[in-house]
């Protein structure tokens, strides 16, 4: 006889079969915005799309819905070409490198995709060209001559992201050529004030180029009708609706869907064979092509609006591409595509009130989380508690650690561990029989839990608030702690009131089983740990709880700690490590170990590493940009020789050339530090105020034959000097 009610259990087998829609079932298709492949994701990227979508996918699976969760890296376009030039690699090598970074990060965060793919595939080319051909055939496109920016320095038209300048809308001085990150307004590169080429700093000129446009003006009526219906039926988040309707109110205009690039899906028309599709035309089509990489029967998901509901997750900056451009493209084909049902969008997650910045070493990125040695579910918990659903939120180290100690450990961890240890020590790890579920304490607990369980389902089912769902999980755990406390669950209860004790432990174990289910979407490792302790299979998320799922005489597993205490003092250490000022601005490496090693060795010569690129904060002149490119090219030569195991004079010559170019770059940056050129200095790595800068000669300055401005400050016996290209530790 089974000792767990099989009607509440569920087997998660989505990785042992191809998930396809089932006629008559609730088929849920979930996507998270495809992360761009040119960088490592930070915490804001993770909570904004993949982690939020993962919560919903896990929830749907435990509700018994037929669920497919698809994502992958967005690999075509300007940003990839730019990154390839910066790193001296091919576009494909860049995509391979950063696809792995993304996959490793999401694996560490325990994100349970059904398939994580990529867009640089033959399927992407085939499906994108097919959609375009149908749009073109249906008269949904037009040709226009476009005035574009052209860089005479490297003789190429500049795609949007190769250009930056001042936003004409909000005056932000580092707006991109396609969109301003400050105000969010979509731009044409020619609208920028004082535009500059990102590759060489040159001022581009205006030239004409012939391009293809998607005629959104003619599409507006049909699109607006769809938006009005879908946003209500699908209960879009309020910011999604507001952003979309602001576009519609302004009136849709034809939008260019081609670019003068090499890395992308080629336009299948002879007149435009030297162009590729604009990344925001083909990127959302990546959802289709990645599904096609998962199953050749992808159309059963994407051309099946009667049987499939599409849920999409993203940051607010991606909204118009998913509610205007992408659906207009699909509707324009005349085919019956599965269109968006629900759109869940977030505002921005800031890092300690500032923006995440990889170049400045500010914030926590995917490659940092595992280094912290803090368990993944602590990260997931705090990010989901801080999910910026209606306004920007902040990641702050002190409350992050407090969330582990005061919430996870003190509430959920305490409840589970207290019951499991008691059941193991007093009942030999066997669930006791209960006298009755009709006691006032039990009736109240069951009623209170069911009120909260209803609220949980209401918040998560249609993504009303994933954050509220997690809060409710913790409230239900708190009810469990209160139930134990009110019943004075101790040795006296066991010894002198055995029947009452039996009931309390039986009910508490059943409540823990419910918690293992409702916490699963948020903290899957914690859920698995609880179920191992209970020796019970995965539990469904049900609409009600009866406290009768695990029966008497069920044999429990071994008790285990769900969470451990983290020293609150670590907050200062971690804040310093990821604040930017305590990191090398180029590598992100922490300066503290070097400072500690240098301490107590006063009088030794200063040490500096020759630069491979100018640090954050330094205004890059054309000379510096050219020298950076030369360093990268020389570095590639050295790497190739080492890969081919070439030694001797050839390798030594290549190394000497690399060092020479690094010295030239270091000297050029030092000129800026000496006041000969405009420069912005990063903050001192010490906490004390720095004295007024003084011009001095140092061994390092002599080495590059330039006098530089130094800003001395001290901490113990270690002296920090601003050399014009970085902080030097003088012992």
């Amino acid at each position: 006889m089974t000792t767990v009610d099989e009607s509440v259990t569920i087997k998660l087998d989505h990785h042992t079969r191809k998930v396809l829609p089932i006629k008559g079932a609730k088929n849920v298709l979930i996507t998270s915005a495809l992360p761009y492949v040119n960088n490592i994701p930070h915490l804001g990227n993770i909570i904004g799309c993949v982690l939020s979508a993962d919560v919903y996918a896990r929830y749907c699976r435990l509700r018994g819905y037929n669920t497919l969760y698809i994502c992958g890296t967005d690999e075509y376009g300007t940003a990839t070409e730019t990154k390839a030039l910066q790193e001296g690699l091919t576009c494909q090598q860049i995509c391979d490198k950063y696809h792995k970074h993304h996959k490793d990060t999401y694996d560490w965060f325990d994100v349970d995709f059904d398939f994580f793919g990529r867009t640089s595939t033959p399927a992407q080319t085939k499906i994108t060209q097919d959609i375009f051909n149908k749009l073109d055939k249906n008269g949904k496109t037009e040709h226009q001559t476009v005035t574009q920016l052209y860089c005479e320095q490297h003789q190429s038209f500049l795609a949007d992201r190769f250009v930056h300048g001042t936003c004409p809308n909000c005056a932000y001085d580092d707006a991109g050529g396609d969109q301003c990150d400050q105000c969010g307004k979509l731009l044409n590169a020619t609208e920028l004030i004082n535009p500059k080429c990102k590759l060489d700093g040159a001022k581009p000129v205006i030239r004409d180029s012939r391009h293809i446009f998607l005629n959104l003006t003619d599409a507006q009526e049909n699109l607006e009708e769809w938006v009005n219906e879908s946003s209500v039926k699908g209960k879009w988040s309020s910011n999604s609706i507001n952003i979309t309707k602001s576009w519609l109110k302004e009136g849709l205009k034809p939008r260019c869907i081609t670019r003068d690039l090499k890395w992308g899906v080629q336009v299948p028309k002879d007149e435009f064979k030297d162009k590729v599709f604009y990344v925001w035309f083909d990127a959302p089509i990546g959802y289709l092509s990645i599904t096609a990489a998962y199953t050749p029967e992808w159309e059963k998901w994407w051309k099946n609006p009667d049987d499939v509901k599409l849920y999409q997750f993203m940051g607010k900056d991606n909204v118009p591409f998913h509610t205007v451009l992408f659906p207009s493209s699909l509707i324009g084909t005349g085919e019956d595509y599965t269109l968006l049902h629900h759109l869940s969008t977030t505002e921005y997650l800031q890092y300690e009130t500032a923006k995440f910045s990889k170049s400045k070493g500010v914030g926590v990125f995917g490659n940092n989380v595992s280094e912290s040695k803090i368990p993944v579910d602590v990260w997931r918990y705090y990010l989901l508690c801080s999910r910026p659903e209606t306004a920007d939120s902040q990641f702050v180290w002190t409350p992050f650690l407090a969330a582990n100690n005061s919430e996870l450990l003190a509430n959920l961890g305490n409840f589970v561990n207290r019951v499991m240890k008691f059941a193991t020590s007093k009942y030999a790890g066997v669930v006791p029989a209960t006298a009755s579920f009709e006691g006032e304490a039990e009736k109240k607990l069951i009623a209170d839990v069911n009120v909260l369980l209803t609220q949980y389902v209401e918040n998560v089912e249609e993504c009303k608030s994933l954050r509220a769902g997690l809060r409710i999980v913790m409230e239900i755990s708190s009810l469990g702690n209160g139930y134990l406390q009110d019943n004075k669950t101790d040795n006296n209860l066991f010894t002198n009131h055995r029947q009452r004790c039996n009931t309390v432990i039986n009910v508490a174990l059943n409540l823990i089983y419910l918690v293992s289910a409702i916490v699963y979407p948020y903290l899957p490792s914690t859920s698995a740990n609880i179920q191992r302790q209970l020796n019970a299979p995965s539990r469904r998320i049900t609409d009600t709880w009866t406290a009768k799922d695990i029966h008497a005489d069920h044999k429990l597993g071994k008790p285990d700690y769900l969470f451990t205490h983290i020293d609150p003092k670590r907050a200062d250490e971690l804040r310093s490590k990821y604040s930017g000022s305590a990191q090398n601005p180029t590598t992100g490496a922490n300066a503290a170990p070097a400072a500690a090693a240098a301490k107590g060795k006063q009088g030794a010569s200063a040490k500096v590493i020759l630069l491979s690129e100018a640090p954050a904060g330094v205004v890059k002149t054309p000379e510096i940009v050219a020298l950076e490119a030369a360093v990268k090219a020389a570095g590639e030569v050295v790497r190739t020789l080492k890969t081919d195991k070439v030694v001797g004079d050839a390798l030594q010559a290549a190394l000497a050339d690399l060092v020479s170019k690094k010295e030239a770059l270091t000297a050029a940056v030092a000129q800026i530090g000496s006041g000969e050129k405009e420069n912005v200095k990063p903050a001192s790595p010490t906490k004390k105020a720095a004295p007024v800068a003084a011009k001095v000669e140092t061994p390092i300055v002599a080495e590059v034959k330039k006098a530089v401005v130094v800003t001395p400050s001290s901490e113990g016996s270690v002296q920090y000097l601003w050399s014009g290209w970085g902080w030097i530790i003088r012992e």
Side-chain angles (χ1 to χ4, degrees):
M1 183 182 73
T2 181
T3 53
V4 178
D5 184 354
E6 292 182 352
S7 69
V8 300
T9 65
I10 188 169
K11 182 179 180 181
L12 298 176
D13 63 352
H14 53 293
H15 289 304
T16 64
R17 61 185 175 90
K18 289 295 181 185
V19 181
L20 294 172
I22 300 170
K23 192 74 175 176
K26 183 165 184 176
N27 300 297
V28 180
L29 175 58
I30 300 170
T31 71
S32 56
L34 305 182
Y36 210 85
V37 78
N38 69 323
N39 217 327
I40 297 171
H42 58 64
L43 296 182
N45 304 139
I46 291 164
I47 185 58
C49 53
V50 293
L51 185 55
S52 296
D54 182 58
V55 169
Y56 190 63
R58 289 175 179 276
Y59 169 85
C60 288
R61 292 178 189 127
L62 282 198
R63 291 287 281 175
Y65 305 152
N66 192 45
T67 304
L68 182 69
Y69 178 21
I70 291 293
C71 189
T73 43
D74 177 11
E75 301 191 351
Y76 284 138
T78 307
T80 303
E81 288 195 356
T82 305
K83 195 69 172 179
L85 286 169
Q86 289 173 345
E87 296 197 13
L89 300 173
T90 66
C91 289
Q92 188 62 61
Q93 287 171 331
I94 284 291
C95 291
D96 293 345
K97 173 182 175 179
Y98 284 97
H99 174 82
K100 185 178 187 306
H101 281 311
H102 279 268
K103 183 68 167 61
D104 290 347
T105 296
Y106 306 138
D107 285 348
W108 192 89
F109 268 98
D110 213 357
V111 177
D112 191 16
F113 304 110
D114 286 285
F115 188 72
F116 185 78
R118 52 200 308 184
T119 60
S120 58
T121 64
Q124 176 74 1
T125 298
K126 182 177 184 300
I127 296 172
T128 300
Q129 290 180 344
D130 180 65
I131 288 174
F132 167 75
N133 286 333
K134 289 184 171 67
L135 289 168
D136 199 43
K137 180 181 177 181
N138 294 343
K140 305 299 182 182
T141 64
E142 59 186 55
H143 302 172
Q144 293 184 23
T145 298
V146 177
T147 300
Q148 284 184 272
L149 296 178
Y150 183 88
C151 181
E152 295 179 313
Q153 182 102 347
H154 69 274
Q155 299 182 346
S156 175
F157 280 105
L158 293 176
D160 297 339
R161 288 182 178 264
F162 278 114
V163 187
H164 65 139
T166 300
C167 175
N169 186 56
C170 70
Y172 178 55
D173 63 2
D174 194 26
D178 60 345
Q179 186 174 18
C180 176
D181 289 338
Q182 179 96 337
C183 66
K185 185 176 178 63
L186 292 179
L187 301 169
N188 289 315
T190 53
E191 296 176 312
L192 290 173
I193 300 168
N194 192 28
K196 291 183 179 179
C197 173
K198 280 191 173 181
L199 295 179
D200 49 36
K203 184 174 182 178
V205 297
I206 293 176
R207 288 192 183 179
D208 290 340
S209 181
R210 193 84 168 147
H211 283 277
I212 302 175
F213 282 66
L214 183 64
N215 190 342
L216 294 177
T217 304
D218 291 349
Q220 176 152 354
E221 184 177 346
N222 288 338
L223 181 72
E224 200 156 3
E225 181 181 339
W226 169 77
V227 167
N228 290 336
E229 180 181 352
S230 181
S231 62
V232 174
K233 284 186 177 178
K235 301 177 182 177
W236 294 9
S237 57
S238 58
N239 50 3
S240 304
I241 296 172
N242 293 337
I243 292 169
T244 304
K245 295 209 166 172
S246 69
W247 268 58
L248 295 172
K249 183 178 179 181
E250 188 176 327
L252 300 182
K253 301 174 180 62
R255 188 80 185 171
C256 186
I257 60 171
T258 55
R259 289 293 184 268
D260 289 293
L261 294 172
K262 300 298 181 186
W263 183 247
V265 175
Q266 187 177 27
V267 178
K269 289 178 77 75
D270 289 342
E271 183 185 349
F272 300 94
K273 64 183 179 181
D274 59 340
K275 301 183 191 300
V276 301
F277 285 112
Y278 176 37
V279 67
W280 271 113
F281 174 74
D282 88 276
I285 297 171
Y287 300 128
L288 283 62
S289 73
I290 291 170
T291 310
Y294 171 71
T295 172
E297 299 179 273
W298 65 273
E299 291 183 343
K300 289 184 177 180
W301 283 106
W302 285 101
K303 293 185 179 181
N304 191 1
D306 293 336
D307 294 325
V308 174
K309 290 287 188 292
L310 172 60
Y311 289 74
Q312 297 193 288
F313 292 78
M314 66 201 65
K316 65 179 180 180
D317 52 333
N318 286 333
V319 168
F321 304 108
H322 289 77
T323 62
V324 177
L325 299 180
F326 185 40
S328 293
S329 299
L330 297 181
I331 293 169
T333 65
E335 297 189 335
D336 206 11
Y337 276 96
T338 302
L339 299 177
L340 173 66
H341 172 68
H342 176 82
L343 182 60
S344 180
T345 58
T346 60
E347 302 291 316
Y348 296 127
L349 179 73
Q350 307 283 3
Y351 177 77
E352 298 256 343
T353 73
K355 286 186 177 182
F356 287 86
S357 173
K358 187 68 177 175
S359 63
K360 297 175 183 176
V362 176
V364 181
F365 290 75
N367 57 329
N368 303 135
V369 286
S370 59
E371 299 168 0
S372 71
K373 306 303 180 185
I374 295 172
V376 60
D377 274 2
V378 179
W379 289 97
R380 287 179 63 114
Y381 178 77
Y382 185 73
L383 288 175
L384 289 160
C385 283
S386 307
R387 187 174 187 255
E389 295 180 343
T390 57
D392 291 354
S393 61
Q394 286 78 39
F395 177 92
V396 184
W397 284 108
T398 299
F400 168 70
L401 299 185
N404 176 79
N405 296 338
S406 303
E407 298 170 34
L408 291 173
L409 179 60
N411 179 355
L412 179 56
N414 178 67
F415 175 46
V416 173
N417 193 250
R418 183 177 177 185
V419 175
M420 286 300 303
K421 280 193 169 181
F422 195 93
T424 299
S425 64
K426 303 300 182 185
Y427 293 96
V430 176
V431 178
T434 179
S436 169
F437 292 99
E438 298 302 316
E440 288 303 314
E442 285 67 51
K443 287 195 290 186
K444 183 178 187 308
L445 177 67
I446 292 170
D448 289 347
V449 166
N450 278 313
V451 167
L452 289 174
L453 186 57
T454 298
Q455 293 174 8
Y456 172 89
V457 171
E458 287 175 351
N459 274 285
V460 184
E461 183 80 17
E462 292 298 340
C463 307
K464 181 180 177 181
S465 175
L466 300 183
R467 189 175 62 198
L470 182 52
R471 174 182 53 77
I472 291 166
V473 172
M474 300 303 285
E475 288 183 16
I476 290 175
S477 176
S478 292
L479 287 179
N481 279 312
Y483 176 67
L484 297 179
Q485 194 68 23
D486 292 344
N487 284 279
K488 300 179 181 177
T489 310
D490 56 16
N491 289 333
N492 179 59
L493 187 70
F494 177 77
T495 303
N496 300 315
H497 309 279
R498 181 65 59 85
Q499 286 300 315
R500 182 69 198 139
C501 190
N502 291 353
T503 297
V504 170
I505 295 303
N506 183 300
V507 170
L509 287 166
N510 271 282
L511 183 55
I512 289 172
Y513 194 31
L514 172 68
V515 169
S516 78
I518 59 177
V519 81
Y520 169 78
Y522 299 94
L523 313 179
S525 297
T526 299
S527 172
N529 191 339
I530 294 172
Q531 288 169 2
R532 281 196 302 273
Q533 294 185 56
L534 291 173
N535 189 30
S538 295
R539 187 192 188 281
R540 294 177 181 270
I541 295 174
T542 51
D543 291 326
T544 58
W545 176 65
T546 63
K548 298 177 182 178
D549 302 333
I550 298 179
H551 305 154
D553 298 326
H554 174 76
K555 179 64 177 175
L556 300 169
K558 293 181 179 179
D560 190 15
Y561 291 106
L562 295 180
F563 309 99
T564 57
H565 184 266
I566 302 174
D567 188 346
K569 293 178 182 177
R570 286 202 66 193
D572 289 337
E573 167 206 331
L574 292 164
R575 185 180 296 109
S576 174
K577 184 172 184 178
Y578 299 113
S579 66
S581 61
Q583 299 185 62
N584 179 301
T586 301
T587 66
N590 190 267
K599 207 161 190 175
K601 298 180 181 177
Q602 208 161 359
S605 62
K607 300 175 183 177
V608 70
I609 298 175
L610 294 174
L611 295 176
S612 294
E613 61 181 353
V618 171
V619 177
K620 294 188 180 183
T621 63
E623 177 192 8
I624 288 176
V625 172
L627 286 168
E628 285 180 327
V631 168
K632 286 168 185 168
E636 183 62 29
V637 171
V638 172
R639 282 192 294 274
T640 301
L641 291 173
K642 288 184 175 179
T643 300
D644 295 339
K645 298 183 179 179
V646 175
V647 295
D649 293 344
L651 179 59
Q652 292 305 314
L655 287 168
D657 182 55
L658 175 60
V659 170
S660 173
K661 287 180 169 57
K662 285 187 175 184
E663 287 175 342
L665 174 61
T666 304
V669 177
Q671 288 178 353
I672 292 178
S674 68
E676 295 178 27
K677 299 177 183 177
E678 182 185 2
N679 180 44
V680 180
K681 292 187 293 186
S684 165
T686 65
K687 295 181 180 179
K688 300 179 182 179
V692 178
K695 191 174 266 189
V696 300
E697 290 285 342
T698 72
I700 300 163
V701 173
E703 187 176 320
V704 296
K705 299 183 174 63
K706 290 289 176 184
V708 298
V709 176
V710 299
T711 306
S713 57
S714 61
E715 184 177 34
S717 61
V718 180
Q719 188 179 53
Y720 294 91
L721 304 177
W722 169 249
S723 68
W725 61 85
W727 287 99
I728 303 167
I729 300 169
R730 177 179 292 284
E731 303 167 359

